[in-house]
Amino acid sequence: MNKYKIVLIGSLVIALFYAPQICFPQESEAEKIMFKLFDAFNRHDADAMFSFYDENAMVYSHDYDTVRGDLKFLRENYSKMFKRSPNIKDEVKHYFVSKDGDEVAVEFVSTGTVQDLIDDDPQRILGRNFYVKLFTRLKIKNGKIIEDITYFDK
């Protein structure tokens, strides 16, 4: 009978030790960076956003004419976006983290109102509300985004 008590107590100790890790897994590095990136976006802080990117990061989007590795261009592009739509916000709907924890795929919605025209924006968009569905995959290495692939409807 004592053997069973020892086995039972041992099993309970092991279960209590591993239960938090199984039931409440830790956020991956990719997940943490993704949430910080969206937080910076929603504060309209382009400098903070691009502090999460590696200096050689590759950014792909059908909105750009080529793969962008030029973070200065991207920072300026986002700064214009924040000026154009001062109330722009992103809301994460769903996300998945890769098995290795170094990639995160996120579905989100961007909403706002065009309140200022920038560059060659057509006059007809001024005052328009928008709701854009987006999907982004971020790859993380050494705590920085090294690849950002984004698709969205127009």
Side-chain angles (χ1 to χ4, degrees), residues 2-18:
N2 285 337
K3 284 190 223 178
Y4 295 114
K5 287 182 183 177
I6 292 171
V7 170
L8 180 60
I9 291 171
S11 297
L12 287 172
V13 168
I14 290 170
L16 289 172
F17 179 76
Y18 285 106

Side-chain angles (χ1 to χ4, degrees), residues 35-46 48-49 78 81-82 88-90 108 110-111:
F35 280 119
K36 288 178 182 178
L37 182 67
F38 278 91
D39 180 58
F41 180 92
N42 286 333
R43 290 191 328 268
H44 298 184
D45 188 344
M49 285 177 63
Y78 276 87
M81 184 186 309
F82 299 147
I88 190 171
K89 294 286 180 210
D90 283 350
F108 60 103
S110 188
T111 58

Side-chain angles (χ1 to χ4, degrees), residues 12-154:
L12 287 172
V13 168
I14 290 170
L16 289 172
F17 179 76
Y18 285 106
Q21 296 170 17
I22 293 168
C23 297
F24 307 104
Q26 297 293 316
E27 271 186 333
S28 70
E29 183 177 40
E31 210 171 342
K32 289 176 187 174
I33 290 172
M34 182 264 301
F35 280 119
K36 288 178 182 178
L37 182 67
F38 278 91
D39 180 58
F41 180 92
N42 286 333
R43 290 191 328 268
H44 298 184
D45 188 344
D47 290 333
M49 285 177 63
F50 287 98
S51 72
F52 300 114
Y53 284 79
D54 181 83
E55 64 183 25
N56 297 312
M58 292 282 90
V59 180
Y60 306 87
S61 172
H62 65 275
D63 200 35
Y64 305 134
D65 56 352
T66 185
V67 174
R68 291 290 180 176
D70 180 358
L71 296 184
K72 182 179 180 221
F73 165 83
L74 294 168
R75 185 179 289 109
E76 289 170 2
N77 192 42
Y78 276 87
S79 294
K80 286 179 183 180
M81 184 186 309
F82 299 147
K83 184 176 186 301
R84 179 183 293 118
S85 302
N87 65 340
I88 190 171
K89 294 286 180 210
D90 283 350
E91 180 184 352
V92 173
K93 296 295 189 177
H94 305 281
Y95 69 93
F96 301 94
V97 179
S98 69
K99 181 179 172 182
D100 296 332
D102 63 343
E103 293 186 62
V104 61
V106 57
E107 176 188 351
F108 60 103
V109 174
S110 188
T111 58
T113 306
V114 177
Q115 296 178 19
D116 195 3
L117 299 177
I118 308 291
D119 299 333
D120 59 349
D121 287 342
Q123 184 67 34
R124 64 181 158 67
I125 68 168
L126 190 59
R128 284 210 178 153
N129 295 324
F130 58 87
Y131 178 96
V132 181
K133 296 177 184 179
L134 299 103
F135 178 85
T136 295
R137 183 181 58 80
L138 302 171
K139 185 169 186 160
I140 312 299
K141 186 175 181 181
N142 298 325
K144 295 285 189 176
I145 298 168
I146 62 167
E147 191 174 70
D148 174 336
I149 299 174
T150 299
Y151 300 96
F152 59 94
D153 62 6
K154 286 190 173 197

